[in-house]
């Protein structure tokens, strides 16, 4: 049986992952309005990943015979005045999600909940990839974003991203 504190944190993470999807839909919407369809696509795929992450937490709790409580999903409160604002918001958010995953892992560690720790191992690795991707987007925008031709090429690169479902087996 999952410890009460670990259960609460896992359940809260479902909401946080759905919030992440909302945030990335909002960022996608920003880029779509700017006619940067490649950026919009990249963040739309990101939103799908976050929805799947929420469902992985949901399924894990169900598989552990723990109740799932769904809460309201907050409206993203990010101010985007330029393309870089969106990218920095994404990085900041991924760093926040990493801290949440680390908190759950720490709580599971404290009560020797090895099954939850094993489940979270995938998310620890995933968050490293998410932060790297966010850093890379900022670096590319710093290098190419001020030149329209280079921005066009970067937009084309991001348009090629396709969704791939997570390979975590529960």
């Amino acid at each position: 049986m999952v410890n009460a504190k670990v259960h609460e944190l896992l359940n809260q993470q479902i909401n946080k992952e759905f919030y992440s999807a909302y945030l990335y839909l909002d960022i996608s919407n920003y880029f779509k309005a700017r006619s940067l369809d490649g950026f919009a696509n990249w963040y739309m795929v990101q939103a799908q990943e976050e929805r799947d992450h929420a469902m992985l937490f949901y399924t894990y709790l169900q598989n552990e015979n723990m109740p799932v409580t769904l809460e309201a999903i907050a409206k993203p409160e990010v101010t985007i005045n330029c393309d870089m604002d969106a990218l920095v918001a994404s990085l900041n958010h991924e760093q926040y999600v990493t801290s949440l995953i680390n908190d759950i892992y720490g709580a599971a560690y404290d009560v020797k909940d090895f099954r939850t720790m094993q489940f979270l191992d995938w998310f620890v690795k995933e968050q490293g990839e998410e932060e790297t991707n966010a850093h890379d987007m900022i670096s590319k925008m710093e290098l190419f974003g001020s030149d329209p031709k280079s921005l066009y090429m970067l937009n084309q690169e991001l348009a090629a991203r396709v969704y791939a479902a997570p390979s975590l087996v529960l």
Side-chain angles (χ1 to χ4, degrees):
M1 181 149 192
V2 176
N3 168 277
K5 179 180 179 182
V6 173
H7 173 237
E8 179 183 353
L9 291 172
L10 288 166
N11 200 89
Q12 289 172 0
Q13 193 63 29
I14 295 168
N15 182 274
K16 301 294 185 184
E17 297 292 340
F18 280 127
Y19 173 84
S20 297
Y22 270 36
L23 174 65
Y24 291 132
L25 285 174
D26 197 35
I27 293 172
S28 178
N29 192 42
Y30 164 80
F31 282 116
K32 186 73 170 174
R34 292 246 312 112
S35 297
L36 290 170
D37 293 344
F39 281 84
N41 173 69
W42 200 92
Y43 282 102
M44 186 64 72
V45 170
Q46 195 66 21
Q48 181 62 50
E49 280 190 9
E50 301 303 341
R51 287 188 297 269
D52 281 353
H53 293 170
M55 294 308 298
L56 288 169
F57 282 97
Y58 177 89
T59 302
Y60 179 75
L61 285 176
Q62 286 187 330
N63 288 347
E64 294 299 311
N65 295 311
M66 299 298 294
V68 173
T69 304
L70 299 176
E71 302 290 340
I73 301 166
K75 177 183 177 187
E77 294 192 25
V78 116
T79 302
I80 302 173
N81 295 312
C82 66
D83 299 343
M84 188 59 82
D85 285 350
L87 304 182
V88 170
S90 178
L91 173 60
N92 290 341
H93 184 71
E94 290 302 337
Q95 291 170 332
Y96 169 67
V97 172
T98 297
S99 75
L100 296 172
I101 299 296
N102 289 343
D103 289 346
I104 302 168
Y105 201 102
Y109 179 83
D110 289 345
V111 296
K112 297 183 179 176
D113 182 350
F114 301 112
R115 187 176 311 156
T116 298
M117 290 166 55
Q118 183 180 26
F119 167 71
L120 292 171
D121 283 343
W122 183 88
F123 287 96
V124 170
K125 180 178 179 274
E126 175 71 6
Q127 281 310 118
E129 293 171 8
E130 298 287 11
E131 286 188 36
T132 297
N133 288 339
H135 276 291
D136 289 350
M137 293 275 284
I138 290 170
S139 296
K140 288 177 180 181
M141 183 61 82
E142 287 172 342
L143 287 170
F144 309 120
S146 61
D147 174 57
K149 290 178 185 173
S150 296
L151 181 60
Y152 175 80
M153 290 175 62
L154 179 55
N155 188 61
Q156 292 301 104
E157 174 187 322
L158 297 176
R161 184 181 187 199
V162 294
Y163 177 72
S167 59
L168 178 63
V169 176
L170 295 178

